[in-house]
Amino acid sequence: MRRRAQTDSDLIARVRAGDQDALDVLHGRYYPRLYKLAYVRLGSADDAHDVASETFVRAILHVRQLHPLKTRSLYPWLHAVAMNLITDFIRRRSVRRHASLDDRTSSELMSYIEQIANGSPPPDQVLHRKEVQETIRAAIASLPEAQATSVLYRFLGEMSIREMAEAMGRSEGAVKSLLHRAIVTLRTRLSPQAARRATSVLEEEQHVHRQSLKIHR
Amino acid sequence: MSIDSLSRYIDDLLNAEEPDARSYVAGLPGGGRELLPLLATARAVHIALRSIEVDRERANQSQERARKTLNEVLNSHEGPGRK
């Protein structure tokens, strides 16, 4: 794992003493990750910013509880706070799911994955397209909870396997296995066939919704 | 073992290296044909998550809000470091 110039524990101690600069460093380190976590879960940029900002406010209000840290990284604690807020958001409104899954996007993604697997130079531009990001976002959001957490801890939290094991209360082998399963699931869900199934489910849901509107008129 | 290879590959991705997926499957049964698509999927997830853009203005607003909250907490009866 990358070595952090200033550890989270040091920064938290400074924040507890009222050091605004230390707070800025923590905010710069974690706000983007919390935003992305909320964006993956909610699919809304506006809501994701609200969640990330509120998470920091709650962290400051409870900063006394952050010492000593269970892990070297503050990320698991912030992740848990953000997830509570995200759950509240999901309860209050319906969250967009699978909206952008389509055959073309999935085919592009599969082509990208096959090219890497074949050793070709990866054309990463495809991953910067909104539709592709949305497809991957929806696939992560639809993972079983533990698998989704493992992906988000690893890729957004940039946590090591050991840190994840501590945070999740599992052995390192179990965490590696969980992450492996998550990637297998994602590989399957990003396939064009899975996209077709998701699209047909979405169309079916929309059809049922339209029928129910007709009945209530 | 493929689970360990995947884990090492993700470590290298997170350390901003440009890992060649094929070097992680050397010596695995069947040439690691089943593992390669998983490494590629991990790479796609990594880049897609990294590429999500964060609105700087909203981030700055949040930073200001956090500073203000810290000031309020420090000025309240029980500061953040006090019991």
Side-chain angles (χ1 to χ4, degrees):
Chain A
M1 248 352 61
R2 236 175 292 174
R3 286 182 61 186
R4 297 187 174 102
Q6 295 168 288
T7 67
D8 288 358
S9 291
D10 291 344
L11 290 166
I12 290 164
R14 286 169 53 194
V15 170
R16 283 158 58 93
D19 186 335
Q20 299 265 15
D21 292 339
L23 177 62
D24 288 349
V25 175
L26 282 174
H27 190 277
R29 186 173 287 171
Y30 288 112
Y31 183 90
R33 301 181 201 191
L34 294 170
Y35 167 78
K36 291 178 183 186
L37 163 66
Y39 182 75
V40 166
R41 293 297 195 160
L42 297 169
S44 156
D46 210 34
D47 292 345
H49 278 294
D50 287 346
V51 166
S53 183
E54 185 63 25
T55 300
F56 260 92
V57 167
R58 295 196 182 189
I60 294 163
L61 293 174
H62 297 93
V63 73
R64 193 168 43 200
Q65 297 165 13
L66 294 177
H67 190 78
L69 282 178
K70 191 178 172 190
T71 66
R72 281 181 301 165
S73 168
L74 181 59
Y75 183 78
W77 193 84
L78 292 172
H79 182 107
V81 174
M83 282 306 298
N84 283 335
L85 293 166
I86 288 165
T87 303
D88 289 345
F89 264 87
I90 291 171
R91 278 200 201 107
R92 285 204 299 269
R93 65 189 71 171
S94 62
V95 172
R96 196 154 48 103
R97 293 161 52 222
H98 307 308
S100 295
L101 283 176
D102 62 69
D103 266 9
R104 181 173 160 253
T105 304
S106 284
S107 293
E108 283 179 349
L109 256 174
M110 280 302 102
S111 167
Y112 170 87
I113 287 170
E114 280 160 17
Q115 282 186 60
I116 294 179
N118 292 331
S120 308
D124 285 343
Q125 290 87 339
V126 69
L127 296 175
H128 296 281
R129 281 188 42 222
K130 287 278 180 207
E131 295 86 348
V132 172
Q133 287 181 6
E134 173 63 12
T135 300
I136 294 174
R137 182 201 70 75
I140 297 170
S142 69
L143 285 173
E145 192 56 40
Q147 291 185 24
T149 301
S150 73
V151 167
L152 296 167
Y153 272 6
R154 192 77 162 117
F155 289 96
L156 286 185
E158 298 186 11
M159 293 166 66
S160 67
I161 294 294
R162 178 181 291 183
E163 287 172 328
M164 288 172 65
E166 286 171 2
M168 299 176 90
R170 297 176 185 230
S171 69
E172 291 184 31
V175 167
K176 279 186 193 176
S177 178
L178 179 65
L179 189 62
H180 184 267
R181 279 206 305 282
I183 300 293
V184 169
T185 310
L186 284 172
R187 166 77 175 79
T188 307
R189 292 194 179 174
L190 292 173
S191 71
Q193 292 83 355
R196 260 197 297 280
R197 278 198 301 276
T199 304
S200 63
V201 167
L202 184 68
E203 284 168 353
E204 196 177 314
E205 284 174 357
Q206 287 170 341
H207 176 71
V208 169
H209 181 61
R210 280 195 296 272
Q211 292 301 316
S212 102
L213 285 176
K214 277 182 192 168
I215 291 166
H216 286 91
R217 271 180 196 147
Chain B
M1 194 176 167
S2 68
I3 289 178
D4 290 322
S5 297
L6 175 64
S7 190
R8 277 192 290 111
Y9 180 77
I10 296 172
D11 270 341
D12 292 341
L13 279 177
L14 294 175
N15 283 320
E17 291 169 16
E18 276 295 327
D20 177 357
R22 286 170 302 176
S23 68
Y24 294 78
V25 301
L28 290 177
R33 272 193 301 278
E34 288 180 9
L35 179 61
L36 277 169
L38 300 185
L39 301 185
T41 302
R43 182 187 167 86
V45 168
H46 171 62
I47 294 174
L49 289 176
R50 199 180 59 188
S51 304
I52 295 172
E53 290 176 9
V54 181
D55 183 332
R56 282 311 316 163
E57 195 176 328
R58 292 290 298 268
N60 290 340
Q61 285 169 7
S62 171
Q63 187 173 327
E64 277 307 306
R65 187 180 173 213
R67 280 176 156 255
K68 196 174 161 195
T69 304
L70 180 60
N71 271 333
E72 286 169 1
V73 170
L74 289 169
N75 292 329
S76 70
H77 181 64
E78 283 201 13
R82 294 178 206 154
K83 296 211 169 169

